[in-house]
């Protein structure tokens, strides 16, 4: 397996997209005005179809959820041993989504919810449902999606009405 190393997303965006099969992105690098989620979106726009794996020294379920929602296909701790890193790289290149067990449970909820999909749900509704099921508060959900609380409350009311949930 051959590796190409760059020091910034801007530098990565200049690469020939046929030169690699997967991108390993350090969660805390580069420092600057963009978030890791924005970096993933930039990379996905420039290199559609090339999966991104997050590499971090501070893994957390919250971070994994954010990176999953941003489109990352894998998530690795910097503490991982070489065989685990190579295994995750190979599995992601083969089309799998690879996260920790706790994150896998979250993905399973997403899959289950996909079967409950209703045409009447907005994209925001669909993104809120798994967080709401996990017990996130409306304030935390609003912070996550950078929306005001009243927008989230309205969306939750809409979700409940679509599914016929009466909380009175």
């Amino acid at each position: 397996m051959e590796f190409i190393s760059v020091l910034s997303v801007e530098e990565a965006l200049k690469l020939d997209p046929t030169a690699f099969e997967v991108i390993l992105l350090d969660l805390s690098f580069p420092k600057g005005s963009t978030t890791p989620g924005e970096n993933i979106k930039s990379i996905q726009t420039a290199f559609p179809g090339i999966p991104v794996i997050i590499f971090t020294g501070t893994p957390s379920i919250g971070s994994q959820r954010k990176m999953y929602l941003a489109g990352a296909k894998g998530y690795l701790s910097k503490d991982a041993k070489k065989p685990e890193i190579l295994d995750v790289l190979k599995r992601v290149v083969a089309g799998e989504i690879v996260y920790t067990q706790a994150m896998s449970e979250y993905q399973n909820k997403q899959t289950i919810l996909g079967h409950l999909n209703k045409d009447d749900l907005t994209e925001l509704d669909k993104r809120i449902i798994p967080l709401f099921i996990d017990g996130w508060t409306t304030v935390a959900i609003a912070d996550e999606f950078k929306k005001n609380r009243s927008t989230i409350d309205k969306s939750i009311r809409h979700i409940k009405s679509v599914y016929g949930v009466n909380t009175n």
Side-chain angles (χ1 to χ4, degrees):
M1 193 172 275
E2 190 176 325
F3 295 91
I4 299 170
S5 178
V6 294
L7 299 177
S8 70
V9 171
E10 292 77 21
E11 191 178 341
L13 296 176
K14 296 175 186 174
L15 293 173
D16 174 5
T18 63
F20 48 92
E21 298 177 79
V22 65
I23 296 166
L24 191 60
L25 178 65
D26 189 326
L27 184 62
S28 62
F29 188 84
K31 303 265 188 243
S33 61
T34 59
T35 66
E38 291 167 333
N39 289 338
I40 291 171
K41 296 291 183 199
S42 296
I43 289 168
Q44 289 173 329
T45 300
F47 307 112
I50 297 179
V52 176
I53 299 171
I54 297 299
F55 197 54
T56 181
T58 55
S60 72
I61 293 297
S63 168
Q64 288 183 68
R65 285 186 179 142
K66 287 179 183 177
M67 297 304 97
Y68 174 72
L69 292 171
K73 302 300 182 194
Y75 191 94
L76 272 169
S77 169
K78 289 181 181 177
D79 294 341
K81 304 292 183 225
K82 185 177 178 179
E84 180 184 359
I85 294 169
L86 293 174
D87 177 60
V88 169
L89 287 169
K90 288 175 186 173
R91 290 172 56 198
V92 168
V93 168
E96 287 185 56
I97 297 175
V98 184
Y99 281 82
T100 65
Q101 180 60 37
M103 190 59 198
S104 293
E105 291 169 9
Y106 174 76
Q107 288 171 281
N108 289 339
K109 282 183 189 174
Q110 291 281 66
T111 301
I112 290 166
L113 290 169
H115 295 290
L116 300 175
N117 234 351
K118 302 270 188 173
D119 291 335
D120 296 342
L121 294 175
T122 67
E123 286 305 309
L124 180 60
D125 293 343
K126 292 173 188 176
R127 293 173 61 207
I128 287 173
I129 290 171
L131 303 181
F132 189 69
I133 288 173
D134 275 351
W136 285 41
T137 66
T138 53
V139 172
I141 294 170
D143 288 346
E144 176 74 16
F145 296 122
K146 296 182 179 24
K147 303 280 185 190
N148 64 46
R149 183 174 173 193
S150 64
T151 300
I152 301 303
D153 287 337
K154 180 180 175 184
S155 185
I156 291 171
R157 283 192 305 276
H158 182 250
I159 292 164
K160 288 177 179 179
S161 72
V162 167
Y163 285 105
V165 175
N166 184 357
T167 56
N168 294 334

